[in-house]
Amino acid sequence: MTELIIKNDIEKKKMDGLLLFLKSWDIEAEIKPAKKTAKDKRIAEFKQALKETREMAENIAAGKDDYETMDEFLKRL
């Protein structure tokens, strides 16, 4: 087996064309998603944390999930 590594992200249309070309030469090919690097994992975790923080802020602002709105908090003071 031989591996072909494409180092740049390419659009789906180009990838489909490349697969079609390879198959036209009777070359079996498949697409495997790239393995995530440690940096990719940290970025994904950071994006998830941002999403959760945004949802929490929206809940706090709306007074959901036992959070007080800012107006309610100020009235208590």
Side-chain angles (χ1 to χ4, degrees):
M1 174 179 14
T2 302
E3 244 180 68
L4 171 67
I5 298 172
I6 299 173
K7 294 187 176 188
N8 299 20
D9 286 335
I10 62 172
E11 61 189 65
K12 184 177 180 344
K13 186 177 178 179
K14 289 180 181 179
M15 184 65 76
D16 291 342
L18 179 57
L19 284 174
L20 187 62
F21 171 76
L22 293 171
K23 288 179 183 181
S24 74
W25 280 27
D26 292 324
I27 298 172
E28 265 188 61
E30 66 178 278
I31 299 173
K32 289 184 182 178
K35 293 180 182 176
K36 286 190 174 184
T37 63
K39 180 180 176 182
D40 292 334
K41 289 178 183 176
R42 286 194 308 271
I43 290 171
E45 289 170 357
F46 183 72
K47 286 180 179 179
Q48 181 62 30
L50 286 176
K51 178 183 175 195
E52 291 172 7
T53 302
R54 185 180 313 116
E55 289 172 358
M56 184 188 301
E58 290 169 355
N59 286 337
I60 291 170
K64 294 181 185 175
D65 297 333
D66 297 328
Y67 295 113
E68 290 181 307
T69 64
M70 185 56 74
D71 289 339
E72 292 169 339
F73 174 75
L74 292 173
K75 285 178 186 175
R76 278 193 310 110
L77 294 176

